[in-house]
Amino acid sequence: MLLTITTTHSPATDIGYLLHKSPDNLHSKKLPFGQAHVFYPEATKEKCTAALLLDIDPIGLVRKNRGTAFPLEQYVNDRPYVASSFMSVAINRVFGTLLSGTSKHRQELVDQDIPLKTKIYALPCRANKSFLKDLFEPLGYDVETESYALDRKFPEWGDSSYFTLTLEKSCPLRELLIHLYVLIPVLDNKKHYFIGDDEVEKLLQYGEGWLQDHPQKEKIANRYFRNLRSFSRIALDRLADDSPVIDDDEESGDPVKADSQEEALEDSIKTEKKVSLHIQRHKAVIHALKEHNITTLLDLGCGEGKLLRFLKNEKSFSKIAGCDVSIKSLEIVLERLKPDEQRRGEPEIELFQSALTYRDKRFSDYEAATLVEVIEHIDVSRLSALERVVFEAANPRVVIVTTPNSEYNTLFETLSAGQFRHTDHRFEWTRLEFKDWANRVAKSNGYEVSFHPIGDEDKKYGAPSQMAVFVKPDIEEKKAG
Ligand code: SAH
């Protein structure tokens, strides 16, 4: 199992610096499935080639992998000989420092485009041969594939599903390694290691900046997760969900979050007490939570953590948590709320990334869940998934949902007819539409629901925002008794 990377960058031996492996030595590392060796078959100033050779331990593999597909598989399989996803793991373990992307002394070299040619031998591609090109050409590589007859004595058997792949491109070496790290397992449909929750994070982390726009992103996600649809759907959802936020940032050139456009608009409402609408909204939510004696809360779609910031000073809460699809938002919350620096009397703060349209065990750990200005960011067709996840599966004692009241939009001078308050809103509801939805959800999941206007009410159009408080009646009564 062999991968070579050649450069003619001047001086070419810089590649040794980038890989943290000196061209003068042989470097060996023990991995769970065998040995990885890095060496340089050629190393001059003009041209330098780094080789990563994997020496898989077939016996160790058999011992570790008891669950095989057919009785002889443990003796007859291609794992020791092909550039399978072991190669991807080895890239990560052996070149991890470069993958992380930072260099103390020569950051400019890490970020620099250098001419690169890489060759991977015996690469299994169980899809059509053209899939290799479909994967790498959109990323700007010149792609060459060499195929091999299954058996030269029997040409009628056709070609095997193994290739030698050559890729050429001028780019940072890190970029090339990331593409190989993600795409080798995509080609190899026998991903060998356990697929855990962090795999989605890994794919998103390494896919940043290229996967979102890749024409084959569905196939990449599906195959990366060995067709475990639940994982690939989460990944694709997140790639899609994150995009409007990024677009907003790029267009306006400043770091706005999804909801600030809306807040700016809502702030144009001159309220009697001159308290901005989003503060009124968070106060109303906190008031309702306290009314129901809530002590642990999960803020779903917490954004930059505005509600959590208010709650941090509320002594009656012992644990408050925020979750969002957007890592960017969560990073902001982390910076602002510093959950690690919890002071005496302050609630414990938890943050995690998750999508609201997929079941997540962690959602069940709290007495209440809030969805503050979140549902309108979900496609109507996915709303029933959110209902199942929040009301049916997580099923907390109290759920609070707020959403704009679309009737009020006509009073915003800057909003034209039919326009939503935010470009990422998928819908906005009238008071009746919200009530119909909430009543149906409450009825089918055993909640009682009450409705509350937020902000100053207009006689005809109602208040700018609306809140529904869902409460499980039986548990409430028991508590009271
Ligand atoms: N509740 C916050 C933010 C509201 S903006 C506040 O009141 O300030 C809507 C938030 O929902 C965004 O942060 C967005 O990233 C998040 N979101 C949108 N779709 C989501 C999904 N499917 N799963 C989880 N969060 C989602």
Side-chain angles (χ1 to χ4, degrees):
M1 203 187 286
L2 180 68
L3 164 85
T4 62
I5 303 171
T6 303
T7 185
T8 49
H9 165 76
S10 176
T13 42
D14 264 357
I15 194 176
Y17 183 88
L18 283 169
L19 295 172
H20 287 255
K21 303 277 176 282
S22 158
D24 298 333
N25 304 322
L26 164 71
H27 310 261
S28 299
K29 189 173 179 133
K30 203 168 179 318
L31 298 175
F33 42 80
Q35 288 268 342
H37 307 283
V38 178
F39 59 95
Y40 293 79
E42 58 183 334
T44 65
K45 278 194 173 150
E46 294 73 37
K47 194 173 178 199
C48 187
T49 298
L52 171 60
L53 177 78
L54 276 193
D55 189 8
I56 299 288
D57 168 16
I59 299 172
L61 268 192
V62 171
R63 291 213 183 102
K64 278 200 181 94
N65 258 325
R66 301 220 173 259
T68 43
F70 60 96
L72 272 179
E73 194 189 347
Q74 51 176 283
Y75 306 107
V76 188
N77 71 62
D78 63 1
R79 298 294 90 185
Y81 314 109
V82 304
S84 67
S85 50
F86 289 125
M87 183 57 103
S88 164
V89 175
I91 289 174
N92 194 355
R93 298 287 283 271
V94 177
F95 303 133
T97 316
L98 176 59
L99 282 185
S100 74
T102 48
S103 166
K104 253 194 211 150
H105 304 296
R106 300 186 65 186
Q107 188 66 42
E108 78 297 339
L109 182 63
V110 171
D111 298 332
Q112 193 181 341
D113 285 355
I114 60 174
L116 293 168
K117 181 172 180 171
T118 189
K119 252 182 174 222
I120 312 167
Y121 299 85
L123 180 68
C125 171
R126 287 177 176 80
N128 207 316
K129 175 178 169 180
S130 63
F131 188 48
L132 285 165
K133 289 194 182 238
D134 295 344
L135 281 188
F136 288 99
E137 278 180 351
L139 300 170
Y141 292 96
D142 287 334
V143 183
E144 260 180 53
T145 54
E146 206 177 318
S147 39
Y148 301 93
L150 258 182
D151 191 322
R152 263 178 271 163
K153 281 191 209 139
F154 301 96
E156 66 277 16
W157 288 3
D159 283 342
S160 75
S161 50
Y162 301 95
F163 299 86
T164 295
L165 173 70
T166 310
L167 302 172
E168 260 191 281
K169 181 183 167 183
S170 204
C171 68
L173 179 55
R174 175 171 182 262
E175 188 177 314
L176 167 70
L177 288 182
I178 285 179
H179 290 155
L180 296 178
Y181 172 72
V182 173
L183 296 177
I184 289 176
V186 165
L187 290 164
D188 176 19
N189 63 355
K190 287 197 191 155
K191 200 164 188 256
H192 61 274
Y193 51 86
F194 171 71
I195 296 184
D197 288 349
D198 64 338
E199 293 276 316
V200 174
E201 311 310 330
K202 243 194 264 169
L203 180 65
L204 292 175
Q205 181 196 341
Y206 287 112
E208 200 182 332
W210 61 275
L211 188 52
Q212 200 160 20
D213 300 323
H214 198 296
Q216 300 288 334
K217 73 174 174 192
E218 274 86 13
K219 266 199 189 153
I220 292 174
N222 288 338
R223 294 178 66 109
Y224 186 88
F225 296 113
R226 278 187 77 182
N227 292 321
L228 285 176
R229 301 265 165 202
S230 55
F231 280 92
S232 50
R233 268 200 336 248
I234 293 176
L236 289 167
D237 235 34
R238 290 206 193 151
L239 283 170
D241 276 345
D242 263 353
S243 51
V245 181
I246 292 161
D247 289 345
D248 281 348
D249 290 2
E250 278 171 359
E251 258 169 42
S252 61
D254 62 35
V256 284
K257 248 277 306 124
D259 54 342
S260 60
Q261 174 191 348
E262 186 178 347
E263 279 173 6
L265 178 80
E266 291 178 341
D267 280 350
S268 69
I269 312 167
K270 294 280 173 274
T271 60
E272 275 168 23
K273 295 184 199 121
K274 300 258 185 292
V275 180
S276 74
L277 182 63
H278 65 99
I279 294 183
Q280 292 186 52
R281 182 158 47 222
H282 290 130
K283 288 206 155 148
V285 171
I286 293 172
H287 181 77
L289 290 168
K290 284 182 164 176
E291 231 176 36
H292 294 286
N293 305 316
I294 295 300
T295 62
T296 62
L297 164 81
L298 173 60
D299 189 24
L300 295 165
C302 65
E304 294 176 2
K306 296 205 180 91
L307 180 67
L308 297 176
R309 252 196 301 175
F310 282 113
L311 286 170
K312 198 180 169 183
N313 302 317
E314 295 286 345
K315 296 225 161 30
S316 55
F317 290 84
S318 61
K319 186 165 74 171
I320 53 176
C323 102
D324 205 287
V325 268
S326 159
I327 274 286
K328 259 198 205 168
S329 300
L330 289 172
E331 278 168 358
I332 294 174
V333 190
L334 197 64
E335 205 168 288
R336 287 191 183 155
L337 287 181
K338 303 200 174 20
D340 293 341
E341 298 172 19
Q342 181 196 7
R343 275 183 265 155
R344 254 174 161 236
E346 278 180 0
E348 180 191 342
I349 301 173
E350 291 175 345
L351 294 176
F352 58 92
Q353 191 191 27
S354 198
L356 292 170
T357 41
Y358 298 95
R359 278 180 191 221
D360 189 324
K361 278 198 215 108
R362 294 168 293 186
F363 292 169
S364 322
D365 295 343
Y366 309 87
E367 292 167 359
T370 44
L371 290 149
V372 181
E373 309 292 289
V374 172
I375 57 166
E376 63 276 10
H377 291 266
I378 309 280
D379 281 329
V380 177
S381 60
R382 302 290 295 143
L383 213 49
S384 57
L386 175 140
E387 290 163 32
R388 279 196 301 276
V389 168
V390 176
F391 292 91
E392 192 183 306
N395 197 239
R397 177 156 70 82
V398 170
V399 182
I400 297 181
V401 180
T402 79
T403 193
N405 161 20
S406 66
E407 293 163 82
Y408 195 94
N409 285 359
T410 178
L411 300 176
F412 290 115
E413 282 170 10
T414 53
L415 219 55
S416 41
Q419 196 188 348
F420 292 152
R421 293 186 200 180
H422 189 279
T423 43
D424 189 46
H425 284 182
R426 314 298 159 96
F427 62 87
E428 285 177 1
W429 280 336
T430 62
R431 284 167 289 177
L432 188 63
E433 283 169 322
F434 184 43
K435 272 191 182 142
D436 282 350
W437 173 79
N439 281 326
R440 179 181 55 73
V441 171
K443 196 164 169 225
S444 44
N445 295 285
Y447 286 85
E448 277 172 5
V449 61
S450 57
F451 298 92
H452 313 261
I454 296 173
D456 295 337
E457 277 188 278
D458 176 84
K459 268 201 190 106
K460 186 165 173 203
Y461 302 108
S465 193
Q466 43 187 347
M467 172 168 82
V469 180
F470 299 80
V471 182
K472 302 213 84 175
D474 44 351
I475 304 175
E476 276 289 291
E477 274 159 26
K478 262 184 232 149
K479 268 238 151 193

